[in-house]
Amino acid sequence: MRKFKILLDGSGTASAISVIKGLLKQSEYEIYLVSIDRDPFNAGRYLSNKFYTVPTDPEPRTEAILEICYKEKIDLFIPIIDETLLELARRRKDFEKIGTFLLLAPLESLEIANNKMKTFQFFIENNIPTPKVYTSFDHIKYPAFIKPCTGGRASINAFKINDKEELKFYTSKISEYIIQEYIEGEEFTADCLASLDGNFLIECVVRRRLETKGGLAIKCSLVSPNMSELIKNYVEKINEKLRIPGAFNIQGFIIDKKNLVFIEINPRFAGTHAFTIEAGLNSIKFILDMLNGESPQNIKNKISINYDLKMIRYWDEIFIDESGRAYNPWKLWTKKNN
């Protein structure tokens, strides 16, 4: 059994927990998991073999990550925190020198994905349907939608604007923003897996975000196979240009059976990737398969997606006693409906 030493960023995030669930669901590889976060009191820490606290600012954080990769002889580093991605990409050769595979898109692709205006321009240039962006306050048609131009993880500082008074209020609160037309439709997230060089899209699982809290989906179902294929065709077009390796997600809205728009590209694991894993696309396991020499085409051939699956999310707890021991007293259960 091959052993992988993995470093996982942002262990306090839902995205990192989804990665951990994917690792727990496989038994083919022995995993030694090191996790990092700015806050030492987080759930992912207690689901890892070892934990380090790292700084928040991108440059010192990246330096700390490189030191950990060298010290722990890390095979694979999985970035999660959006604000650090650009700096990590600039230091790609430093990761290569110490033998750590950095699961991250090229710098030029990240500069597009991490900036909402550049993402909009990319969509327009490549004939990808996307909501209109208002560049002048005089031409805004209400309702509209405002969000940060960079960052904005988990829908932070993203708001519907109903009139000029709300426009004035929100533009005074957000320093850099983009204002788009407001879209009525079903919100979707496409969880995607590509080859490690980003040149081949292996699979794409598209889920409806039926209900969200704090920007995180708590109820999901899969989009129909026909609509999934339509979305996947656009995803292939996007990734042909951006070459994002491994796991990433793309968000948008389904307006009707034939029309949809794309709004965001997130070059990392999604916070609800656990649902995608159970549906048949355990991206982290397949990433390890590719690192172990399996071809992307062979992986694609063996994937089967359960389109009838639905998900309802609930909270779970980890307790830490006075000795520092972490435990979970609950037992998972399965119950068939009457």
Side-chain angles (χ1 to χ4, degrees), residues 281-321:
L281 184 62
N282 189 347
S283 292
I284 181 58
K285 196 273 182 185
F286 294 136
I287 287 166
L288 296 181
D289 286 342
M290 286 186 281
L291 286 171
N292 198 39
E294 189 166 358
S295 73
Q297 184 62 59
N298 190 54
I299 291 170
K300 182 180 180 68
N301 292 342
K302 66 183 182 183
I303 293 173
S304 178
I305 304 302
N306 179 4
Y307 285 95
D308 296 320
L309 195 68
K310 297 179 177 66
M311 183 201 79
I312 301 171
R313 186 170 246 155
Y314 70 99
W315 293 110
D316 202 357
E317 298 80 23
I318 294 174
F319 298 93
I320 301 95
D321 64 19

Side-chain angles (χ1 to χ4, degrees), residues 203-222:
E203 186 53 273
C204 177
V205 172
V206 187
R207 49 185 167 83
R208 289 186 181 87
R209 290 156 57 92
L210 300 177
E211 185 177 338
T212 62
K213 287 186 179 179
L216 189 67
I218 61 169
K219 295 180 182 179
C220 292
S221 66
L222 291 190

Side-chain angles (χ1 to χ4, degrees), residues 26-217:
Q26 66 82 38
S27 58
E28 193 167 330
Y29 305 106
E30 180 183 351
I31 305 298
Y32 183 83
L33 182 64
V34 182
S35 64
I36 57 175
D37 203 286
R38 65 179 183 179
D39 181 0
F41 192 52
N42 68 81
R45 170 180 187 165
Y46 297 99
L47 299 171
S48 307
N49 298 100
K50 198 167 185 178
F51 174 81
Y52 289 88
T53 304
V54 292
T56 301
D57 292 341
E59 290 189 20
R61 188 186 186 97
T62 301
E63 285 293 343
I65 289 169
L66 282 163
E67 290 177 11
I68 294 166
C69 287
Y70 178 76
K71 179 181 177 181
E72 298 290 345
K73 297 181 174 59
I74 296 297
D75 299 304
L76 170 67
F77 171 49
I78 304 172
I80 296 291
I81 304 301
D82 293 336
E83 292 80 3
T84 316
L85 300 184
L86 292 174
E87 182 61 25
L88 288 169
R90 294 186 187 103
R91 302 292 298 275
R92 186 180 301 277
K93 289 185 178 180
D94 293 328
F95 284 94
E96 292 174 356
K97 287 177 183 177
I98 59 176
T100 297
F101 186 89
L102 176 64
L103 191 69
L104 190 60
L107 179 59
E108 57 271 21
S109 299
L110 293 175
E111 288 173 340
I112 293 170
N114 280 22
N115 184 294
K116 302 300 186 296
M117 180 56 78
K118 289 183 179 179
T119 300
F120 166 74
Q121 293 167 344
F122 170 82
F123 286 153
I124 294 299
E125 290 168 3
N126 290 280
N127 296 313
I128 308 293
T130 191
K132 181 191 299 180
V133 168
Y134 297 108
T135 56
S136 169
F137 286 3
D138 296 332
H139 299 104
I140 294 176
K141 182 180 179 181
Y142 297 100
F145 195 77
I146 186 171
K147 59 186 178 182
C149 193
T150 58
R153 182 164 44 98
S155 299
I156 297 171
N157 285 332
F159 304 100
K160 181 180 179 181
I161 303 173
N162 293 296
D163 51 42
K164 290 183 178 180
E165 285 300 313
E166 290 188 1
L167 173 67
K168 183 178 179 181
F169 175 79
Y170 287 121
T171 53
S172 69
K173 299 293 183 182
I174 307 171
S175 57
E176 288 185 84
Y177 54 81
I178 182 172
I179 301 174
Q180 292 180 311
E181 66 175 311
Y182 187 79
I183 300 296
E184 295 281 359
E186 288 186 325
E187 189 175 1
F188 73 82
T189 296
D191 278 329
C192 312
L193 176 67
S195 58
L196 296 182
D197 59 8
N199 289 330
F200 178 70
L201 184 69
I202 296 172
E203 186 53 273
C204 177
V205 172
V206 187
R207 49 185 167 83
R208 289 186 181 87
R209 290 156 57 92
L210 300 177
E211 185 177 338
T212 62
K213 287 186 179 179
L216 189 67

